[in-house]
Amino acid sequence: MASASWTDLAALANRAGSTAVWPMGALEQHGPHLPLATDAIFAERVCTAVVSRLDPDLPVTQLPTQVLGFSPEHASFPGTLTLPAELLIGIVVEVGRQLASMGFRRLVLLNAHGGQIALLQVAARQLRLKATGLGVLPCFLWSGPESIAGLIREPERSQGLHAGLAETSLMLHLAPDLVGEERPVDGLLQPPHAVGPPPGWQLEGAVPSAWLTEDLSRSGVIGDSRGAGADLGASLFEALVDGWHRRFDGLLRSDWPPLPTDSEARPGGPSSQPR
């Protein structure tokens, strides 16, 4: 989008099913071995690869990456810059409202930071109230493609929450010069490092807790990156790009989500009825 002229963008925005994709990251600690912009790098690189593989005739554009995000769980580690929740929600709502006024019909938030999944879902709801003619899809980079699960074994698959095997391997593939040599594992959640919640409770999932990284790890790492490698990173990248390409291609060739007409969007219309 940043390299398009306003006339080209206007023409794309006014096409049926026009879609803007916004890579969302964060600037936060990722242990002593990964860069602060890890999530932003992942979101941008995967998004760029996906969009480049799509049929060029499809009406889609990629917004500049949102680097600053919502990262209060990492705030005690130097280098983390976190926006207040209400500010990030306001940014999403305002940018989305302007995109809708240009004529865009969909906005996909392709987010790579797990700590702002719920917040971006809230922002998406708020945006729908402001721009009822805009479909808003808040997505998490690592939760879409099903084939990723087979590449990371348990317990790392469910417990490697931050700067662990998956993220370190992916960065070794995308930007190995940004990866340090250290591989701390003080944030492991299984014995003998039993620093997690009691049985029946989880850090994330069905019964989550509002954890802070400092509760779990001195290094900022939650997981085990000792087996990380560029080959695994290449497999993860291909799985991410392939999975999201299939989803985006299907979305862009559809008329989903169904959106209210002008009359339905008014108070008392069908869209205002209880769900």
Side-chain angles (χ1 to χ4, degrees):
M1 179 177 176
S3 60
S5 69
W6 76 264
T7 52
D8 289 342
L9 189 71
L12 186 147
N14 284 299
R15 289 178 57 189
S18 58
T19 301
V21 187
W22 193 358
M24 309 288 291
L27 196 70
E28 61 183 28
Q29 73 83 21
H30 269 78
H33 63 296
L34 293 181
L36 297 169
T38 289
D39 293 336
I41 292 170
F42 292 166
E44 182 171 296
R45 294 287 290 273
V46 171
C47 188
T48 299
V50 169
V51 171
S52 68
R53 292 189 191 184
L54 290 169
D55 184 335
D57 290 331
L58 292 173
V60 61
T61 190
Q62 179 177 336
L63 273 69
T65 301
Q66 175 66 29
V67 175
L68 295 181
F70 178 68
S71 308
E73 69 272 29
H74 303 294
S76 65
F77 290 80
T80 298
L81 295 178
T82 179
L83 299 178
E86 60 273 15
L87 178 56
L88 185 56
I89 291 173
I91 290 171
V92 171
V93 170
E94 183 57 27
V95 170
R97 186 192 63 77
Q98 293 183 44
L99 289 169
S101 71
M102 296 176 195
F104 279 97
R105 301 299 290 170
R106 302 187 190 102
L107 172 60
V108 180
L109 307 175
L110 190 60
N111 166 46
H113 170 40
Q116 60 193 17
I117 294 173
L119 185 67
L120 291 178
Q121 291 171 344
V122 171
R125 297 278 187 186
Q126 293 286 80
L127 176 54
R128 281 303 315 278
L129 290 175
K130 297 286 186 179
T132 56
L134 183 73
V136 190
L137 298 94
C139 305
F140 182 48
L141 186 76
W142 295 94
S143 291
E146 295 81 359
S147 59
I148 288 178
L151 296 173
I152 306 293
R153 294 181 178 179
E154 291 290 1
E156 183 69 12
R157 183 164 65 234
S158 59
Q159 297 183 3
L161 301 179
H162 196 70
L165 181 64
E167 289 192 317
T168 304
S169 295
L170 185 56
M171 192 63 76
L172 281 169
H173 169 62
L174 293 176
D177 55 312
L178 299 182
V179 182
E181 296 296 328
E182 294 185 62
R183 297 290 184 271
V185 293
D186 60 293
L188 286 172
L189 302 184
Q190 65 269 17
H193 306 277
V195 295
W201 295 86
Q202 302 165 303
L203 292 180
E204 297 181 349
V207 282
S209 61
W211 54 270
L212 300 176
T213 308
E214 63 197 85
D215 299 335
L216 309 171
S217 171
R218 295 180 303 278
S219 68
V221 176
I222 305 172
D224 187 349
S225 66
R226 288 175 294 182
D231 289 344
L232 174 57
S235 296
L236 288 167
F237 184 72
E238 187 57 34
L240 286 165
V241 173
D242 179 68
W244 285 111
H245 174 265
R246 286 185 283 106
R247 280 176 168 76
F248 274 82
D249 186 75
L251 175 66
L252 286 158
R253 296 182 189 278
S254 75
D255 57 2
W256 194 91
L259 298 170
T261 64
D262 290 343
S263 61
E264 291 174 333
R266 298 189 192 105
S271 63
S272 65
Q273 298 305 308
R275 294 188 300 171

